[in-house]
């Protein structure tokens, strides 16, 4: 693996991690934000939900723009907007102002979500793209491991507002790396003919591509299951199980380790078995584990160790789903990679935001509604995989020679 390959993965991973970093550092602060700003649980969760929504739907615009003007300019603009939103969030006097600035911050983060996937498609396809995507996710996934731990330490030492000053500094660092370590991957000649008109045509085409939509939805409901966990876990683990913010951060990070570790096997498994078989086995394993967890907890077992063990195994399977489905969905759409990446990201976050909203309605302070939401998303992902990929024996790709 060449140094250039690794450098690109690191830079793209850091750019992609800016948005999740602003989520994961923030999670341990949710209860204290509610107390400090005199806001209820629903209002505090709205500051998280609005970030997801703006980060998701902002990709609809930034993706086609990256096809028209190149990949780097939208990244610069997104990072600048993210920093404005971060400063505003740090200084927000009320929950309403916090929600408004989180909206701006999410719009800025949308560039970091959509454009790196398009850059991967600019550079590679097939198993090489899967390897780069898995490396990107390795860097990207440092966020859910380190961010909650870092966030809890910052919150305990300096208060929740310091979290937003920290993520603003991270965005400034990402801007420097973008300027010094990443070349433009969409040459001027490839931008010819790209416009908002062609983007609309591209969206219409993609919305009619059942294979693309199926693959996006498989990952979308997998991601949605994690979003359900994001929105409820801090309240359940801190308030219901009595964990401190620091211990909660460790618990949260353990699941991220499973996700990261398995995602790094994507390239090797794809070489040996093909991308479609990897997807099929992963979603089957994930759904099976989550159904088992729901059955155990629905029977009256309310134990943190049981939930932790099964979530660890389940999120390991999920780590194989995201990079493989992303590569397969983008495979045939290189000419409109920015548009395809944007629609993929928007649908992922729309599904995730919907799942978070529904889970919030049923939230009662106990883990069962959260586990039920995670399980439902996993089962839907499995069902979509069966419909999209068909029977594993009939649809599996031949292993690479």
């Amino acid at each position: 693996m060449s140094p250039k390959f690794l450098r690109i993965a690191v830079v793209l991973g850091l750019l992609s991690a800016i948005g999740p970093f602003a989520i994961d550092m923030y999670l341990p602060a949710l209860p204290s934000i509610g107390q400090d700003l005199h806001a209820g649980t629903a209002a505090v969760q709205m500051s998280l939900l609005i970030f997801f929504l703006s980060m998701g739907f902002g990709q609809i615009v930034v993706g086609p723009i990256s096809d028209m003007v190149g990949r780097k300019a939208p990244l610069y603009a997104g990072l600048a907007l993210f920093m404005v939103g971060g400063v505003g969030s740090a200084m927000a006097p009320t929950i309403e102002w916090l929600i408004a600035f989180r909206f701006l911050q999410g719009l800025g983060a949308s560039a970091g979500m959509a454009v790196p996937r398009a850059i991967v498609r600019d550079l590679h396809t097939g198993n090489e793209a899967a390897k780069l995507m898995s490396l990107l996710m390795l860097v990207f996934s440092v966020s859910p491991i380190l961010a909650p731990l870092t966030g809890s330490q910052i919150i305990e030492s300096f208060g929740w507002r310091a979290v937003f000053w920290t993520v603003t500094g991270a965005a400034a660092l990402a801007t420097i790396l973008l300027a010094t370590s990443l070349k433009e991957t969409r040459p001027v000649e490839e931008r010819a003919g790209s416009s908002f008109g062609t983007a609309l045509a591209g969206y219409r085409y993609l919305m009619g591509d059942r294979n693309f939509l199926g693959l996006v939805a498989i990952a979308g409901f997998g991601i949605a299951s994690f979003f359900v966990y994001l929105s409820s876990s801090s309240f359940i683990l801190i308030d219901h199980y009595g964990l401190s913010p620091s211990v909660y951060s460790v618990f949260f990070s353990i699941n991220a380790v499973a996700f990261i570790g398995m995602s790094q096997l994507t390239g090797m498994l794809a070489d040996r078995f093909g991308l479609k078989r990897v997807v099929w086995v992963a979603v089957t394993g994930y759904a099976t584990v989550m159904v088992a967890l729901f059955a155990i907890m629905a029977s009256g077992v309310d134990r943190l160790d049981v939930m932790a063990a099964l979530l660890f195994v389940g999120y390991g399977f999920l780590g194989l789903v995201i990079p493989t489905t992303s590569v397969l969905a983008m495979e045939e759409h290189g000419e409109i990679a920015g548009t395809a990446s944007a629609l993929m990201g928007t649908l992922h976050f729309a599904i995730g935001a919907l799942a978070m909203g529904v889970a919030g309605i049923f939230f009662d302070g106990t883990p069962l509604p959260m586990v039920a939401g995670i399980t439902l998303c996993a089962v839907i992902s499995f069902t979509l995989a069966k419909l999209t990929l068909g029977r594993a024996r009939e649809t599996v790709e031949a292993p690479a020679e």
Side-chain angles (χ1 to χ4, degrees):
M1 197 171 292
S2 70
K4 179 181 177 182
F5 195 91
L6 291 172
R7 185 181 72 251
I8 291 171
V10 169
V11 175
L12 294 181
L14 289 173
L15 289 168
S16 301
I18 290 297
F21 194 64
I23 296 168
D24 299 332
M25 279 192 73
Y26 167 74
L27 291 177
L30 293 179
S32 59
I33 288 174
Q35 294 171 7
D36 188 37
L37 298 182
H38 307 290
T41 299
V44 175
Q45 287 181 322
M46 178 57 67
S47 70
L48 180 62
L49 178 59
I50 201 70
F51 185 91
F52 276 111
L53 288 172
S54 60
M55 184 163 62
F57 287 99
Q59 296 180 58
I60 283 287
V61 177
V62 76
I65 289 176
S66 77
D67 284 338
M68 288 183 274
V69 305
R71 308 304 187 200
K72 293 188 71 171
L75 285 170
Y76 283 125
L79 288 166
L81 187 58
F82 180 91
M83 287 186 278
V84 171
V87 171
S89 296
M91 301 176 68
T94 65
I95 191 65
E96 291 79 13
W97 277 108
L98 178 62
I99 290 170
F101 281 114
R102 287 287 280 173
F103 176 81
L104 287 180
Q105 197 179 36
L107 285 180
S110 67
M113 299 304 296
V115 179
R117 283 193 302 262
I119 292 174
V120 171
R121 180 56 184 81
D122 289 341
L123 298 173
H124 299 286
T125 59
N127 291 349
E128 286 300 305
K131 292 173 184 177
L132 180 55
M133 190 72 75
S134 64
L135 277 174
L136 184 155
M137 290 188 66
L138 174 61
V139 181
F140 171 89
S141 298
V142 168
S143 174
I145 292 179
L146 296 182
L149 293 169
T150 306
S152 63
Q153 294 300 315
I154 290 172
I155 292 161
E156 290 178 2
S157 300
F158 305 105
W160 63 267
R161 295 180 188 275
V163 167
F164 293 106
W165 292 115
T166 303
V167 298
T168 301
L173 175 61
T175 304
I176 295 171
L177 289 173
L178 174 62
T180 59
S181 302
L182 189 67
K183 295 182 179 180
E184 178 59 60
T185 61
R186 187 165 176 85
V188 174
E189 59 271 17
E190 293 184 10
R191 305 172 201 169
S194 295
S195 65
F196 282 112
T198 59
L200 290 174
Y203 283 134
R204 285 196 297 269
Y205 169 72
L206 292 169
M207 290 300 292
D209 185 339
R210 294 178 62 185
N211 184 66
F212 175 83
L213 292 177
L215 289 163
V216 168
I218 291 168
F221 278 97
I223 292 170
S225 69
F226 193 66
F227 283 5
V228 171
Y229 178 74
L230 283 178
S231 65
S232 302
S233 61
S234 62
F235 295 101
I236 291 171
L237 271 66
I238 293 173
D239 295 337
H240 180 72
Y241 287 116
L243 302 185
S244 69
S246 296
V247 176
Y248 162 73
S249 299
V250 173
F251 183 93
F252 187 89
S253 300
I254 289 172
N255 290 325
V257 169
F259 184 93
I260 295 167
M262 290 300 291
S263 71
Q264 295 313 294
L265 300 179
T266 300
M268 180 190 71
L269 294 174
D271 281 340
R272 184 169 182 180
F273 300 109
L275 288 169
K276 289 184 180 179
R277 179 171 293 185
V278 174
V279 174
W280 176 252
V281 172
V283 295
T284 301
Y286 186 48
T288 301
V289 172
M290 292 301 101
V291 168
L293 175 59
F294 175 73
I296 291 170
M297 301 205 74
S299 70
V301 177
D302 185 4
R303 289 178 51 178
L304 180 57
D305 57 343
V306 172
M307 185 172 72
L310 290 177
L311 283 175
F312 180 85
V313 175
Y315 287 136
F317 282 113
L318 186 61
L320 292 172
V321 175
I322 310 305
T324 48
T325 52
S326 297
V327 170
L328 285 170
M330 297 280 288
E331 191 78 13
E332 303 300 324
H333 304 297
E335 293 183 359
I336 53 171
T339 300
S341 177
L343 182 59
M344 178 192 300
T346 298
L347 291 176
H348 284 173
F349 278 89
I351 295 169
L354 176 63
M356 286 172 60
V358 172
I361 294 173
F362 293 97
F363 178 79
D364 63 0
T366 69
L368 188 58
M370 179 187 76
V371 171
I374 293 172
T375 303
L376 179 60
C377 290
V379 170
I380 293 174
S381 184
F382 167 80
T383 304
L384 289 168
K386 189 159 185 69
L387 293 173
T388 303
L389 303 177
R391 295 179 181 177
R393 292 177 182 174
E394 296 177 3
T395 63
V396 68
E397 297 173 328
E401 296 296 334

